[in-house]
Amino acid sequence: MTSRRSEDGVPFLDLRAMNDEVADDVDAAWQEVLSNTTFIGGPAVERFEEAWARYCGTRFAVGVGNGTDALALALRALDIGLGAEVILPANTFVATVEAVVAAGATPRFVDVDPATLLMSATAVEAAVTPDTAAVIVVHLYGQVSDMDALARVADRAGIVLLEDAAQAHGATWRSKKAGSLGRAGCFSFYPGKNLGAYGDAGAIVTDDRDLAERVRSLADHGRAPSSKHLHPLAGINSRLDALQGAVLTAKLARLDGWNAARREAVRAYRDRLQGAGVRLLRGIAGGIGAHHLEVVRVPRRDEVRAALARDGVQTALHYPVPCHKQEPYERFSFAPLPVVEQAAKEILSLPLFPHITGAQIEQVSNSLESAVRQDARAHAS
Ligand SMILES: *Cc1c(COP(=O)(O)O)cnc(C)c1O
């Protein structure tokens, strides 16, 4: 994660204004943790779990150590492991496939829709085999997938629908929150996410009590709910710290406001970049995104990116090497994925955070427009 102060340039991400807003609340909650000395779990974590479940509109939320564990533990709790196939898009953060492999299951990558870069229900349906146990929907960049169509396909195929909502805190599909739309929703609270902790953190939300209890046990050394000394499951250690619970509770109160500020910033970018020679992503009607990232597509991306860097505009790439091209996962590549592969060469993530200013957006846009025009001229002659 890059978070750098720059006098004339524009940083890709600046978390300080968010931290300043919650500093007093975090200090007070941290003093409470220091006096009760429950550093893992305890009241600060329970308060956050209750608040997060309420916010997501689910019955249960279980805090865990990070988003990758949230995904792997959800799969393990559902007994999706050896011999089971799990469908997922290839253009996601590597953690999605990593979790599938950690659970012992076989990933099956699919291509995405060229307009949204999200996995379509048709592609999922075509990838189902007799061994398919689940599909993981990734709300990439904070955009929401067509959950009605995906739920229909999952139902028809008799497979579990899981959400990787690590980039979609507060996004909605037909007024329901991302994470509440499948059997379970998995979140990361990595510091750079829309709801970010002061270290690693994650959670699973679900309406399924058994699933929530199994995840809680698996994340706490497989411990029985009724006994500190019995371990009926072979678990791991992936618990949420009190500090992170306190930070996340304080930040949750501001999440909707911060997401609204992101949405405004994205609106400003898109108004300004109409006709500027870049391709914008489309959303799906019915979804309201959380705008974790603002990704545009440009030809000869690396040249354009270098020109922006010379202007002091910091950008990032999500993700230039698709999962099925990463060495450990190449063997799960069953078919070419042309949309993902082409997009990987063109995508460029622009600076975006709740406190980005209009002047910063203007500066990024000016720099981007002139870089694209200059590059086009250079290649026309
Ligand atoms: C961040 C992220 C994760 C993993 O989260 P960690 O907390 O870093 O383990 C998983 N999936 C996606 C799409 C992410 O963006």
Side-chain angles (χ1 to χ4, degrees):
M1 186 188 46
T2 41
S3 179
R4 140 178 102 93
R5 171 144 237 164
S6 161
E7 294 316 324
D8 332 297
V10 183
F12 178 68
L13 177 65
D14 189 342
L15 300 174
R16 284 163 312 156
M18 281 187 275
N19 296 346
D20 291 346
E21 278 189 42
V22 297
D24 291 346
D25 293 357
V26 171
D27 282 349
W30 180 236
Q31 286 310 317
E32 191 187 317
V33 173
L34 284 178
S35 70
N36 71 25
T37 70
T38 306
F39 292 104
I40 298 173
V45 168
E46 284 161 22
R47 267 199 299 272
F48 173 66
E49 288 176 336
E50 275 165 36
W52 188 235
R54 199 174 327 114
Y55 180 85
C56 291
T58 56
R59 291 179 65 205
F60 309 101
V62 181
V64 296
N66 57 70
T68 313
D69 284 353
L71 287 159
L73 290 168
L75 291 167
R76 282 195 60 194
L78 290 161
D79 280 322
I80 296 172
L82 213 60
E85 283 181 6
V86 176
I87 296 171
L88 74 163
N91 61 336
T92 177
F93 181 53
V94 73
T96 319
V97 60
E98 206 180 345
V100 172
V101 171
T106 302
R108 201 172 176 90
F109 294 115
V110 298
D111 212 351
V112 294
D113 181 275
T116 60
L117 299 185
L118 298 172
M119 194 171 61
S120 74
T122 329
V124 172
E125 191 150 45
V128 172
T129 75
D131 292 330
T132 308
V135 54
I136 302 179
V137 179
V138 181
H139 302 304
L140 190 72
Y141 311 146
Q143 323 169 90
V144 194
S145 309
D146 182 343
M147 292 305 290
D148 293 350
L150 286 160
R152 263 196 307 275
V153 164
D155 274 352
R156 219 160 31 224
I159 62 175
V160 171
L161 178 62
L162 290 177
E163 292 176 86
D164 179 341
Q167 302 188 358
H169 315 78
T172 59
W173 173 255
R174 304 203 191 290
S175 310
K176 291 184 70 185
K177 289 277 173 16
S180 73
L181 300 157
R183 183 75 173 277
C186 302
F187 288 93
S188 163
F189 305 115
Y190 180 78
K193 309 286 185 183
N194 286 34
L195 182 62
Y198 290 176
D200 276 314
I204 291 153
V205 297
T206 183
D207 287 332
D208 180 337
R209 180 188 296 274
D210 280 352
L211 176 56
E213 282 176 2
R214 275 176 68 84
V215 167
R216 194 177 290 289
S217 167
L218 283 170
D220 185 22
H221 303 295
R223 191 168 268 141
S226 53
S227 163
K228 192 173 163 48
H229 301 295
L230 289 178
H231 302 266
L233 301 171
I236 61 168
N237 175 3
S238 186
R239 299 171 298 210
L240 188 60
D241 289 344
L243 168 63
Q244 309 311 345
V247 168
L248 292 168
T249 303
K251 283 187 158 188
L252 178 53
R254 280 122 177 132
L255 178 62
D256 285 340
W258 289 340
N259 278 351
R262 287 174 182 274
R263 194 164 304 125
E264 274 309 305
V266 165
R267 207 191 316 268
Y269 267 131
R270 292 186 185 186
D271 286 349
R272 173 63 184 75
L273 292 173
Q274 289 298 334
V278 305
R279 196 163 154 205
L280 304 169
L281 282 181
R282 230 191 44 203
I284 296 178
I288 297 178
H291 300 292
H292 176 55
L293 296 168
E294 178 60 356
V295 174
V296 298
R297 272 177 286 177
V298 292
R300 290 176 299 275
R301 184 263 326 277
D302 294 336
E303 285 90 326
V304 170
R305 187 172 187 224
L308 285 167
R310 284 195 293 276
D311 287 347
V313 173
Q314 229 180 43
T315 56
L317 305 178
H318 301 88
Y319 301 89
V321 183
C323 293
H324 67 298
K325 299 288 185 190
Q326 300 283 1
E327 199 183 314
Y329 313 114
E330 267 173 341
R331 64 197 175 93
F332 303 113
S333 193
F334 299 101
L337 304 170
V339 179
V340 166
E341 286 162 31
Q342 183 61 32
K345 297 179 198 148
E346 300 175 349
I347 43 165
L348 180 68
S349 307
L350 304 181
L352 180 64
F353 43 93
H355 298 80
I356 193 168
T357 65
Q360 287 176 314
I361 292 171
E362 192 56 27
Q363 187 182 341
V364 174
S365 303
N366 290 343
S367 175
L368 177 59
E369 184 171 29
S370 77
V372 169
R373 288 205 194 294
Q374 258 166 41
D375 181 73
R377 263 199 304 278
H379 283 81
S381 48

